[in-house]
Amino acid sequence: MARRKKIYEGKAKTLYEGPEPGTIVQYFKDDATAFNAEKKDVIEGKGVLNNLLSEYFMLGLGQVGVPTHFIKRLNMREQLVRSCEIVPLEVIVRNYAAGTMSKRLGIEEGTQLPRPIVEYCYKDDSLGDPLVTEEHIAAFGWASQQDMEDILSLALRVNDFLSGIMFGVGIKLVDFKIEIGRVYDGDFQRLVVADEISPDSCRLWDMETNQKLDKDVFRRDLGNLTDAYTEVARRLGVMPKNQTPVTKPTLIN
Ligand code: C5P
């Protein structure tokens, strides 16, 4: 593999300096973590599936006019993205109650919400990514009022897009998390969807059986995680035809 500089190693991905200034290579690992990394495992093939699925969602978002950091997939585990400054928020959109919302508010999992609900968590592992309000975000300067309007609009557009795609293949989009990046075109700042969109960061339930096809399979020991992600990829038609092993990264022109 070509020598290149590691920028950051996260729980599920490693970031390397890209071949051109302003680019980053995202390498999708097989590592799975839950409950702020208290539960850990290596799930063979997860990284490949998330790389393909995230490419599929990011490309689709681009095609319907939602800006993302995605440039292109390089190989089975890596994609080239625009480097951006990550807004320190996890933006969660919920269509049905589940997870922490069910716990916090005592709403039964699977209850349809009256409308999509957007939540913000402050990105800090040492604090367990606490839920925050727009008051905190404004007071601590994590994002401006204009940013928050843009983030809300991006989050709802991603929700409409993903809900529709999933509906088409018999899957309910229960909730998901996105991250937002700032990119600079000269002096002009834009917000884009960054990080990844995959079954690691969404709750996906089969529409008929409510079978879970997302990371809850790992969090709650419900079966084989790769099988669940493979089912999502199969329904969306993004299964790798010939799984070629990862070789050295391809340089862009
Ligand atoms: O745990 P909670 O119910 O708040 O999660 C809501 C959604 O956000 C789920 O789809 C979960 O996978 C995602 N999430 C995430 N990363 C986090 C927290 C939540 O992808 N750190």
Side-chain angles (χ1 to χ4, degrees):
M1 196 183 275
R3 278 159 65 95
R4 55 187 178 184
K5 197 170 155 207
K6 190 193 282 191
I7 301 172
Y8 175 76
E9 174 136 19
K11 284 176 277 194
K13 293 187 294 299
T14 307
L15 304 184
Y16 298 95
E17 225 168 49
E20 315 221 316
T23 64
I24 284 181
V25 174
Q26 279 197 155
Y27 176 96
F28 286 75
K29 303 194 283 185
D30 280 342
D31 300 23
T33 63
F35 313 119
N36 209 1
E38 275 169 35
K39 179 174 168 129
K40 287 185 205 174
D41 206 347
V42 176
I43 315 272
E44 210 186 318
K46 180 176 86 81
V48 169
L49 286 159
N50 281 353
N51 185 26
L52 289 171
L53 284 164
S54 198
E55 172 195 25
Y56 179 77
F57 297 131
M58 294 286 185
L59 276 179
L61 283 169
Q63 277 165 10
V64 299
V66 178
T68 79
H69 72 160
F70 184 82
I71 300 173
K72 68 174 184 176
R73 184 165 61 80
L74 298 174
N75 55 48
M76 296 310 278
R77 284 199 184 264
E78 295 175 323
Q79 49 183 244
L80 189 69
V81 299
R82 269 190 84 166
S83 93
C84 46
E85 215 176 273
I86 294 288
V87 175
L89 298 173
E90 308 215 315
V91 180
I92 293 172
V93 184
R94 300 178 188 271
N95 299 305
Y96 297 84
T100 56
M101 172 181 253
S102 289
K103 218 174 275 170
R104 200 178 296 119
L105 301 180
I107 307 175
E108 193 185 340
E109 286 214 319
T111 308
Q112 187 163 18
L113 300 171
R115 62 186 179 106
I117 295 179
V118 182
E119 294 176 348
Y120 305 101
C121 294
Y122 178 54
K123 256 175 81 65
D124 186 326
D125 282 344
S126 66
L127 300 174
D129 301 331
L131 185 68
V132 292
T133 68
E134 290 191 50
E135 281 288 287
H136 298 100
I137 297 167
F140 296 121
W142 296 325
S144 68
Q145 192 53 48
Q146 179 62 54
D147 288 343
M148 290 312 292
E149 281 169 30
D150 293 349
I151 289 172
L152 178 63
S153 152
L154 280 175
L156 293 175
R157 291 177 76 194
V158 172
N159 187 43
D160 284 347
F161 172 79
L162 285 182
S163 298
I165 293 258
M166 292 302 175
F167 179 81
V169 296
I171 293 174
K172 219 189 287 187
L173 178 66
V174 172
D175 58 30
F176 66 93
K177 182 251 341 184
I178 50 170
E179 296 193 16
I180 303 292
R182 295 176 203 283
V183 293
Y184 296 92
D185 294 318
D187 286 342
F188 186 66
Q189 175 214 277
R190 281 191 308 135
L191 295 178
V192 300
V193 178
D195 191 49
E196 72 177 277
I197 300 178
S198 75
D200 266 11
S201 52
C202 301
R203 281 198 174 91
L204 305 170
W205 295 4
D206 178 84
M207 217 139 23
E208 283 181 1
T209 64
N210 278 341
Q211 186 194 350
K212 293 178 174 52
L213 300 170
D214 56 62
K215 202 163 123 183
D216 274 348
V217 171
F218 169 71
R219 293 188 189 102
R220 302 180 187 187
D221 295 317
L222 300 176
N224 185 304
L225 192 74
T226 315
D227 287 352
Y229 288 21
T230 301
E231 176 60 13
V232 176
R234 189 192 64 74
R235 291 195 198 186
L236 293 169
V238 297
M239 281 298 288
K241 288 191 181 65
N242 297 305
Q243 287 219 10
T244 43
V246 175
T247 50
K248 63 181 182 183
T250 318
L251 297 183
I252 55 163
N253 298 317

